[in-house]
Amino acid sequence: MTFTLTARALLLDMDGTLVDSTPVVNRIWADWARAHGLDVDAVLDAAHGRQGHSVMAEFLPDRPRSENVRQDAEMLAREVAETDGIVEIPGAAVFLASLTDVPHALVTSANVPLASGRMAAAGLTVPAVAVTSEDVTESKPAPEGFLSAASILDVDPADCIVFEDSRAGVTAARAAGMRVIGVGSASSAFGPNHVVADLTGVIVTRDDDGTVTVRL
């Protein structure tokens, strides 16, 4: 079945949406979980789409925030260095190329070095507007990043469509009052408005009046 949605801007997550970094993320967070005697599967389920220090605070609630931030910085440095196995989500390059005249922004829990490194490793270009971890005080599932991107693009949140894959990301987008297209079959469990297997076949056009049409 084909769905057609209209909006004024598109907001795009990175990991799991544009870039498949799952092997790297799983490897690093599994190491962290085992080092702290935690259930690996539980940590991996919570880690995707969020800033590291917020995940640490959830599993080690008695540890000082300063220690979480310090260790998060160490893990981010490792994530930046480890790019083996990172590839684009199928269709991502063509999808991004179709957005040349469409207001859009990247909204990611990664910092600038990590976002730049992963996008480059996947052969993708970072959009001109990007909201990263340096730009927010609250990580997804808080809506701050998406609301900030909408403000930068001067578009009402209700007129934005978000492409997301993770529980935290879908929750954040819905909290921002935005419609969500889940990327990947697993995203269907998190309550997006629609789901696509990947970005192959997603068609985006923009009319002269600024209306953005997304066909799934």
Side-chain angles (χ1 to χ4, degrees):
M1 181 180 296
T2 300
F3 291 97
T4 300
L5 302 89
T6 58
R8 307 297 290 187
L10 304 183
L11 307 182
L12 319 171
D13 174 51
M14 182 182 71
D15 290 307
T17 300
L18 299 174
V19 172
D20 184 359
S21 58
T22 302
V24 176
V25 174
N26 285 354
R27 183 166 61 246
I28 291 174
W29 277 102
D31 287 348
W32 183 84
R34 284 190 288 267
H36 292 86
L38 299 168
D39 181 85
V40 171
D41 289 338
V43 171
L44 294 182
D45 182 61
H48 287 279
R50 298 172 61 188
Q51 292 183 32
H53 61 81
S54 69
V55 178
M56 295 173 186
E58 178 178 328
F59 286 91
L60 301 175
D62 296 328
R63 194 165 77 161
R65 185 179 186 279
S66 60
E67 177 62 15
N68 292 337
V69 170
R70 182 197 65 76
Q71 192 170 47
D72 185 19
E74 292 179 351
M75 292 175 67
L76 280 170
R78 180 181 168 189
E79 289 188 71
V80 170
E82 294 190 23
T83 58
D84 185 43
I86 291 179
V87 295
E88 68 164 310
I89 293 293
V94 173
F95 173 73
L96 285 172
S98 74
L99 304 185
T100 301
D101 298 320
V102 173
H104 66 286
L106 186 73
V107 182
T108 175
S109 295
N111 62 8
V112 169
L114 184 57
S116 300
R118 284 191 175 163
M119 290 286 280
L124 304 175
T125 301
V126 177
V129 178
V131 176
T132 63
S133 65
E134 293 95 337
D135 301 314
V136 298
T137 58
E138 290 187 284
S139 173
K140 300 172 186 177
E144 181 182 354
F146 289 118
L147 292 173
S148 177
S151 178
I152 293 169
L153 295 173
D154 194 24
V155 176
D156 189 279
D159 288 329
C160 295
I161 291 176
V162 175
F163 285 77
E164 261 287 1
D165 74 297
S166 69
R167 183 189 307 276
V170 173
T171 300
R174 296 300 295 267
M178 300 173 181
R179 290 160 292 163
V180 188
I181 297 173
V183 180
S185 58
S187 67
S188 62
F190 311 139
N193 299 92
H194 301 282
V195 176
V196 293
D198 53 41
L199 297 172
T200 303
V202 177
I203 299 173
V204 181
T205 57
R206 183 172 185 258
D207 296 337
D208 291 340
D209 66 358
T211 300
V212 178
T213 300
V214 180
R215 294 180 176 86
L216 309 177

